[in-house]
mmCIF file of all heavy atoms in Angstrom:
data_model
loop_
_atom_site.group_PDB
_atom_site.id
_atom_site.type_symbol
_atom_site.label_atom_id
_atom_site.label_comp_id
_atom_site.label_asym_id
_atom_site.label_seq_id
_atom_site.Cartn_x
_atom_site.Cartn_y
_atom_site.Cartn_z
ATOM 1 N N GLU I 315 2.060 -14.117 8.707
ATOM 2 C CA GLU I 315 2.007 -13.891 7.264
ATOM 3 C C GLU I 315 2.255 -12.415 6.935
ATOM 4 O O GLU I 315 1.819 -11.513 7.648
ATOM 5 C CB GLU I 315 0.646 -14.306 6.712
ATOM 6 C CG GLU I 315 0.581 -14.233 5.179
ATOM 7 C CD GLU I 315 -0.758 -14.662 4.631
ATOM 8 O OE1 GLU I 315 -1.671 -14.944 5.431
ATOM 9 O OE2 GLU I 315 -0.892 -14.714 3.392
ATOM 10 N N ILE I 316 2.959 -12.183 5.844
ATOM 11 C CA ILE I 316 3.153 -10.825 5.332
ATOM 12 C C ILE I 316 2.162 -10.622 4.190
ATOM 13 O O ILE I 316 2.098 -11.425 3.256
ATOM 14 C CB ILE I 316 4.578 -10.610 4.778
ATOM 15 C CG1 ILE I 316 5.638 -11.105 5.768
ATOM 16 C CG2 ILE I 316 4.804 -9.159 4.451
ATOM 17 C CD1 ILE I 316 7.038 -11.018 5.231
ATOM 18 N N VAL I 317 1.390 -9.549 4.259
ATOM 19 C CA VAL I 317 0.430 -9.243 3.201
ATOM 20 C C VAL I 317 0.700 -7.845 2.666
ATOM 21 O O VAL I 317 1.299 -7.008 3.333
ATOM 22 C CB VAL I 317 -1.029 -9.331 3.711
ATOM 23 C CG1 VAL I 317 -1.358 -10.736 4.150
ATOM 24 C CG2 VAL I 317 -1.253 -8.360 4.868
ATOM 25 N N VAL I 318 0.241 -7.596 1.440
ATOM 26 C CA VAL I 318 0.445 -6.301 0.794
ATOM 27 C C VAL I 318 -0.763 -5.419 1.047
ATOM 28 O O VAL I 318 -1.917 -5.869 0.977
ATOM 29 C CB VAL I 318 0.654 -6.469 -0.727
ATOM 30 C CG1 VAL I 318 1.015 -5.130 -1.362
ATOM 31 C CG2 VAL I 318 1.758 -7.483 -0.993
ATOM 32 N N ASP I 319 -0.498 -4.161 1.327
ATOM 33 C CA ASP I 319 -1.556 -3.184 1.609
ATOM 34 C C ASP I 319 -2.530 -3.086 0.438
ATOM 35 O O ASP I 319 -2.127 -3.136 -0.728
ATOM 36 C CB ASP I 319 -0.909 -1.812 1.854
ATOM 37 C CG ASP I 319 -1.845 -0.855 2.551
ATOM 38 O OD1 ASP I 319 -2.934 -0.610 2.010
ATOM 39 O OD2 ASP I 319 -1.487 -0.351 3.619
ATOM 40 N N ASP I 320 -3.811 -2.925 0.766
ATOM 41 C CA ASP I 320 -4.840 -2.766 -0.271
ATOM 42 C C ASP I 320 -4.626 -1.518 -1.112
ATOM 43 O O ASP I 320 -5.155 -1.408 -2.219
ATOM 44 C CB ASP I 320 -6.238 -2.683 0.366
ATOM 45 C CG ASP I 320 -6.673 -4.018 0.953
ATOM 46 O OD1 ASP I 320 -6.129 -5.042 0.517
ATOM 47 O OD2 ASP I 320 -7.539 -4.022 1.835
ATOM 48 N N ASN I 321 -3.850 -0.554 -0.596
ATOM 49 C CA ASN I 321 -3.650 0.702 -1.328
ATOM 50 C C ASN I 321 -2.637 0.579 -2.455
ATOM 51 O O ASN I 321 -2.461 1.520 -3.222
ATOM 52 C CB ASN I 321 -3.196 1.809 -0.359
ATOM 53 C CG ASN I 321 -4.277 2.170 0.633
ATOM 54 O OD1 ASN I 321 -5.461 2.081 0.323
ATOM 55 N ND2 ASN I 321 -3.886 2.552 1.832
ATOM 56 N N SER I 322 -1.950 -0.550 -2.549
ATOM 57 C CA SER I 322 -0.969 -0.734 -3.619
ATOM 58 C C SER I 322 -1.684 -1.043 -4.930
ATOM 59 O O SER I 322 -2.208 -2.135 -5.135
ATOM 60 C CB SER I 322 -0.003 -1.870 -3.272
ATOM 61 O OG SER I 322 0.842 -2.156 -4.378
ATOM 62 N N THR I 323 -1.713 -0.065 -5.827
ATOM 63 C CA THR I 323 -2.366 -0.243 -7.130
ATOM 64 C C THR I 323 -1.677 -1.334 -7.934
ATOM 65 O O THR I 323 -2.321 -2.154 -8.587
ATOM 66 C CB THR I 323 -2.344 1.079 -7.918
ATOM 67 O OG1 THR I 323 -2.994 2.085 -7.139
ATOM 68 C CG2 THR I 323 -3.061 0.935 -9.245
ATOM 69 N N PHE I 324 -0.346 -1.347 -7.896
ATOM 70 C CA PHE I 324 0.406 -2.332 -8.666
ATOM 71 C C PHE I 324 0.102 -3.748 -8.187
ATOM 72 O O PHE I 324 -0.088 -4.660 -8.993
ATOM 73 C CB PHE I 324 1.905 -2.044 -8.552
ATOM 74 C CG PHE I 324 2.771 -3.005 -9.310
ATOM 75 C CD1 PHE I 324 2.905 -2.908 -10.683
ATOM 76 C CD2 PHE I 324 3.441 -4.029 -8.660
ATOM 77 C CE1 PHE I 324 3.695 -3.806 -11.394
ATOM 78 C CE2 PHE I 324 4.231 -4.926 -9.352
ATOM 79 C CZ PHE I 324 4.360 -4.812 -10.724
ATOM 80 N N ALA I 325 0.020 -3.936 -6.869
ATOM 81 C CA ALA I 325 -0.219 -5.273 -6.321
ATOM 82 C C ALA I 325 -1.551 -5.844 -6.796
ATOM 83 O O ALA I 325 -1.689 -7.063 -6.955
ATOM 84 C CB ALA I 325 -0.173 -5.232 -4.792
ATOM 85 N N LYS I 326 -2.534 -4.970 -7.033
ATOM 86 C CA LYS I 326 -3.847 -5.439 -7.486
ATOM 87 C C LYS I 326 -3.783 -6.044 -8.887
ATOM 88 O O LYS I 326 -4.671 -6.794 -9.280
ATOM 89 C CB LYS I 326 -4.847 -4.287 -7.459
ATOM 90 C CG LYS I 326 -5.169 -3.795 -6.055
ATOM 91 C CD LYS I 326 -6.077 -2.582 -6.085
ATOM 92 C CE LYS I 326 -6.333 -2.059 -4.674
ATOM 93 N NZ LYS I 326 -7.151 -0.830 -4.676
ATOM 94 N N SER I 327 -2.744 -5.699 -9.645
ATOM 95 C CA SER I 327 -2.598 -6.233 -11.000
ATOM 96 C C SER I 327 -1.786 -7.527 -11.031
ATOM 97 O O SER I 327 -1.616 -8.114 -12.087
ATOM 98 C CB SER I 327 -1.921 -5.192 -11.908
ATOM 99 O OG SER I 327 -2.768 -4.087 -12.113
ATOM 100 N N LEU I 328 -1.277 -7.936 -9.888
ATOM 101 C CA LEU I 328 -0.486 -9.171 -9.825
ATOM 102 C C LEU I 328 -1.422 -10.349 -9.606
ATOM 103 O O LEU I 328 -1.626 -10.824 -8.492
ATOM 104 C CB LEU I 328 0.563 -9.074 -8.719
ATOM 105 C CG LEU I 328 1.605 -7.965 -8.906
ATOM 106 C CD1 LEU I 328 2.605 -7.985 -7.764
ATOM 107 C CD2 LEU I 328 2.319 -8.099 -10.246
ATOM 108 N N LYS I 329 -2.004 -10.803 -10.707
ATOM 109 C CA LYS I 329 -2.948 -11.919 -10.675
ATOM 110 C C LYS I 329 -2.418 -13.054 -11.537
ATOM 111 O O LYS I 329 -1.722 -12.820 -12.520
ATOM 112 C CB LYS I 329 -4.310 -11.475 -11.216
ATOM 113 C CG LYS I 329 -4.894 -10.252 -10.521
ATOM 114 C CD LYS I 329 -6.113 -9.750 -11.281
ATOM 115 C CE LYS I 329 -6.653 -8.464 -10.699
ATOM 116 N NZ LYS I 329 -7.748 -7.902 -11.530
ATOM 117 N N SER I 330 -2.755 -14.264 -11.157
ATOM 118 C CA SER I 330 -2.424 -15.431 -11.976
ATOM 119 C C SER I 330 -3.714 -15.985 -12.557
ATOM 120 O O SER I 330 -4.580 -16.459 -11.826
ATOM 121 C CB SER I 330 -1.723 -16.502 -11.129
ATOM 122 O OG SER I 330 -0.457 -16.031 -10.695
ATOM 123 N N VAL I 331 -3.830 -15.904 -13.885
ATOM 124 C CA VAL I 331 -5.069 -16.286 -14.563
ATOM 125 C C VAL I 331 -4.748 -17.229 -15.719
ATOM 126 O O VAL I 331 -3.807 -16.996 -16.480
ATOM 127 C CB VAL I 331 -5.804 -15.027 -15.097
ATOM 128 C CG1 VAL I 331 -7.038 -15.423 -15.904
ATOM 129 C CG2 VAL I 331 -6.192 -14.104 -13.944
ATOM 130 N N GLY I 332 -5.532 -18.284 -15.859
ATOM 131 C CA GLY I 332 -5.422 -19.153 -17.029
ATOM 132 C C GLY I 332 -4.470 -20.313 -16.839
ATOM 133 O O GLY I 332 -4.252 -20.815 -15.738
ATOM 134 N N SER I 333 -3.854 -20.731 -17.941
ATOM 135 C CA SER I 333 -3.028 -21.939 -17.986
ATOM 136 C C SER I 333 -1.583 -21.583 -18.323
ATOM 137 O O SER I 333 -1.325 -20.855 -19.284
ATOM 138 C CB SER I 333 -3.587 -22.906 -19.028
ATOM 139 O OG SER I 333 -2.633 -23.861 -19.404
ATOM 140 N N ILE I 334 -0.635 -22.100 -17.550
ATOM 141 C CA ILE I 334 0.780 -21.863 -17.833
ATOM 142 C C ILE I 334 1.190 -22.531 -19.145
ATOM 143 O O ILE I 334 2.051 -22.023 -19.875
ATOM 144 C CB ILE I 334 1.671 -22.349 -16.662
ATOM 145 C CG1 ILE I 334 3.132 -21.951 -16.885
ATOM 146 C CG2 ILE I 334 1.530 -23.838 -16.460
ATOM 147 C CD1 ILE I 334 3.379 -20.466 -16.944
ATOM 148 N N ASP I 335 0.566 -23.636 -19.480
ATOM 149 C CA ASP I 335 0.893 -24.313 -20.741
ATOM 150 C C ASP I 335 0.509 -23.446 -21.935
ATOM 151 O O ASP I 335 1.260 -23.358 -22.923
ATOM 152 C CB ASP I 335 0.165 -25.658 -20.824
ATOM 153 C CG ASP I 335 0.703 -26.664 -19.811
ATOM 154 O OD1 ASP I 335 1.873 -26.514 -19.406
ATOM 155 O OD2 ASP I 335 -0.045 -27.577 -19.436
ATOM 156 N N LYS I 336 -0.639 -22.793 -21.844
ATOM 157 C CA LYS I 336 -1.060 -21.920 -22.944
ATOM 158 C C LYS I 336 -0.156 -20.695 -23.031
ATOM 159 O O LYS I 336 0.205 -20.251 -24.124
ATOM 160 C CB LYS I 336 -2.520 -21.504 -22.752
ATOM 161 C CG LYS I 336 -3.498 -22.652 -22.934
ATOM 162 C CD LYS I 336 -4.938 -22.199 -22.728
ATOM 163 C CE LYS I 336 -5.905 -23.373 -22.906
ATOM 164 N NZ LYS I 336 -7.318 -22.966 -22.669
ATOM 165 N N TRP I 337 0.210 -20.124 -21.873
ATOM 166 C CA TRP I 337 1.115 -18.971 -21.904
ATOM 167 C C TRP I 337 2.469 -19.371 -22.502
ATOM 168 O O TRP I 337 3.060 -18.625 -23.284
ATOM 169 C CB TRP I 337 1.324 -18.412 -20.492
ATOM 170 C CG TRP I 337 2.140 -17.149 -20.507
ATOM 171 C CD1 TRP I 337 1.688 -15.876 -20.657
ATOM 172 C CD2 TRP I 337 3.565 -17.064 -20.422
ATOM 173 N NE1 TRP I 337 2.741 -14.990 -20.656
ATOM 174 C CE2 TRP I 337 3.916 -15.691 -20.516
ATOM 175 C CE3 TRP I 337 4.592 -17.994 -20.272
ATOM 176 C CZ2 TRP I 337 5.225 -15.243 -20.452
ATOM 177 C CZ3 TRP I 337 5.916 -17.541 -20.219
ATOM 178 C CH2 TRP I 337 6.217 -16.189 -20.304
ATOM 179 N N THR I 338 2.953 -20.545 -22.125
ATOM 180 C CA THR I 338 4.244 -21.026 -22.636
ATOM 181 C C THR I 338 4.213 -21.151 -24.155
ATOM 182 O O THR I 338 5.215 -20.902 -24.840
ATOM 183 C CB THR I 338 4.603 -22.378 -21.992
ATOM 184 O OG1 THR I 338 4.606 -22.232 -20.575
ATOM 185 C CG2 THR I 338 5.959 -22.864 -22.457
ATOM 186 N N LYS I 339 3.066 -21.520 -24.688
ATOM 187 C CA LYS I 339 2.922 -21.621 -26.151
ATOM 188 C C LYS I 339 3.177 -20.260 -26.805
ATOM 189 O O LYS I 339 3.887 -20.168 -27.820
ATOM 190 C CB LYS I 339 1.523 -22.125 -26.497
ATOM 191 C CG LYS I 339 1.260 -22.271 -27.985
ATOM 192 C CD LYS I 339 -0.159 -22.775 -28.243
ATOM 193 C CE LYS I 339 -0.424 -22.866 -29.753
ATOM 194 N NZ LYS I 339 -1.818 -23.327 -30.031
ATOM 195 N N ALA I 340 2.634 -19.194 -26.221
ATOM 196 C CA ALA I 340 2.852 -17.845 -26.754
ATOM 197 C C ALA I 340 4.315 -17.450 -26.608
ATOM 198 O O ALA I 340 4.913 -16.851 -27.519
ATOM 199 C CB ALA I 340 1.949 -16.845 -26.028
ATOM 200 N N TYR I 341 4.921 -17.792 -25.468
ATOM 201 C CA TYR I 341 6.319 -17.432 -25.225
ATOM 202 C C TYR I 341 7.249 -18.138 -26.202
ATOM 203 O O TYR I 341 8.220 -17.550 -26.697
ATOM 204 C CB TYR I 341 6.680 -17.779 -23.783
ATOM 205 C CG TYR I 341 8.141 -17.595 -23.462
ATOM 206 C CD1 TYR I 341 8.728 -16.330 -23.498
ATOM 207 C CD2 TYR I 341 8.947 -18.688 -23.121
ATOM 208 C CE1 TYR I 341 10.075 -16.160 -23.201
ATOM 209 C CE2 TYR I 341 10.286 -18.527 -22.828
ATOM 210 C CZ TYR I 341 10.848 -17.258 -22.873
ATOM 211 O OH TYR I 341 12.177 -17.089 -22.589
ATOM 212 N N LYS I 342 6.964 -19.399 -26.499
ATOM 213 C CA LYS I 342 7.823 -20.143 -27.429
ATOM 214 C C LYS I 342 7.796 -19.536 -28.829
ATOM 215 O O LYS I 342 8.791 -19.588 -29.559
ATOM 216 C CB LYS I 342 7.384 -21.609 -27.477
ATOM 217 C CG LYS I 342 7.796 -22.402 -26.244
ATOM 218 C CD LYS I 342 7.389 -23.863 -26.354
ATOM 219 C CE LYS I 342 7.887 -24.661 -25.146
ATOM 220 N NZ LYS I 342 7.477 -26.090 -25.229
ATOM 221 N N ILE I 343 6.653 -18.964 -29.196
ATOM 222 C CA ILE I 343 6.577 -18.274 -30.491
ATOM 223 C C ILE I 343 7.479 -17.046 -30.468
ATOM 224 O O ILE I 343 8.229 -16.779 -31.413
ATOM 225 C CB ILE I 343 5.125 -17.857 -30.799
ATOM 226 C CG1 ILE I 343 4.243 -19.093 -30.967
ATOM 227 C CG2 ILE I 343 5.068 -16.974 -32.048
ATOM 228 C CD1 ILE I 343 2.756 -18.774 -31.079
ATOM 229 N N ALA I 344 7.429 -16.291 -29.356
ATOM 230 C CA ALA I 344 8.150 -15.020 -29.273
ATOM 231 C C ALA I 344 9.646 -15.198 -29.073
ATOM 232 O O ALA I 344 10.442 -14.392 -29.563
ATOM 233 C CB ALA I 344 7.583 -14.182 -28.125
ATOM 234 N N LYS I 345 10.065 -16.244 -28.380
ATOM 235 C CA LYS I 345 11.469 -16.322 -27.999
ATOM 236 C C LYS I 345 12.391 -16.699 -29.167
ATOM 237 O O LYS I 345 13.606 -16.730 -29.004
ATOM 238 C CB LYS I 345 11.659 -17.282 -26.825
ATOM 239 C CG LYS I 345 11.575 -18.753 -27.118
ATOM 240 C CD LYS I 345 11.902 -19.520 -25.825
ATOM 241 C CE LYS I 345 12.009 -21.006 -26.068
ATOM 242 N NZ LYS I 345 12.396 -21.747 -24.853
ATOM 243 N N LYS I 346 11.812 -16.921 -30.335
ATOM 244 C CA LYS I 346 12.647 -17.084 -31.531
ATOM 245 C C LYS I 346 13.334 -15.775 -31.883
ATOM 246 O O LYS I 346 14.367 -15.763 -32.548
ATOM 247 C CB LYS I 346 11.790 -17.561 -32.705
ATOM 248 C CG LYS I 346 11.126 -18.921 -32.486
ATOM 249 C CD LYS I 346 10.159 -19.249 -33.608
ATOM 250 C CE LYS I 346 9.400 -20.543 -33.344
ATOM 251 N NZ LYS I 346 8.390 -20.829 -34.398
ATOM 252 N N SER I 347 12.759 -14.653 -31.431
ATOM 253 C CA SER I 347 13.345 -13.330 -31.656
ATOM 254 C C SER I 347 14.183 -12.945 -30.439
ATOM 255 O O SER I 347 13.650 -12.877 -29.325
ATOM 256 C CB SER I 347 12.243 -12.287 -31.865
ATOM 257 O OG SER I 347 12.738 -10.982 -31.653
ATOM 258 N N PRO I 348 15.505 -12.679 -30.611
ATOM 259 C CA PRO I 348 16.334 -12.285 -29.459
ATOM 260 C C PRO I 348 15.801 -11.057 -28.733
ATOM 261 O O PRO I 348 15.848 -10.992 -27.503
ATOM 262 C CB PRO I 348 17.702 -12.002 -30.097
ATOM 263 C CG PRO I 348 17.704 -12.780 -31.368
ATOM 264 C CD PRO I 348 16.288 -12.766 -31.859
ATOM 265 N N VAL I 349 15.275 -10.091 -29.492
ATOM 266 C CA VAL I 349 14.776 -8.871 -28.859
ATOM 267 C C VAL I 349 13.546 -9.178 -28.010
ATOM 268 O O VAL I 349 13.456 -8.774 -26.841
ATOM 269 C CB VAL I 349 14.456 -7.798 -29.920
ATOM 270 C CG1 VAL I 349 13.805 -6.577 -29.265
ATOM 271 C CG2 VAL I 349 15.725 -7.387 -30.656
ATOM 272 N N ALA I 350 12.587 -9.900 -28.582
ATOM 273 C CA ALA I 350 11.376 -10.243 -27.829
ATOM 274 C C ALA I 350 11.718 -11.101 -26.616
ATOM 275 O O ALA I 350 11.161 -10.908 -25.519
ATOM 276 C CB ALA I 350 10.386 -10.975 -28.729
#
Side-chain angles (χ1 to χ4, degrees):
E315 186 179 4
I316 311 175
V317 297
V318 186
D319 197 303
D320 290 338
N321 294 329
S322 173
T323 302
F324 180 77
K326 293 175 183 177
S327 292
L328 298 181
K329 306 170 185 174
S330 294
V331 175
S333 162
I334 187 62
D335 291 335
K336 291 180 180 178
W337 186 88
T338 304
K339 180 180 178 181
Y341 174 64
K342 285 182 177 179
I343 295 172
K345 75 176 187 177
K346 298 173 185 176
S347 161
V349 174

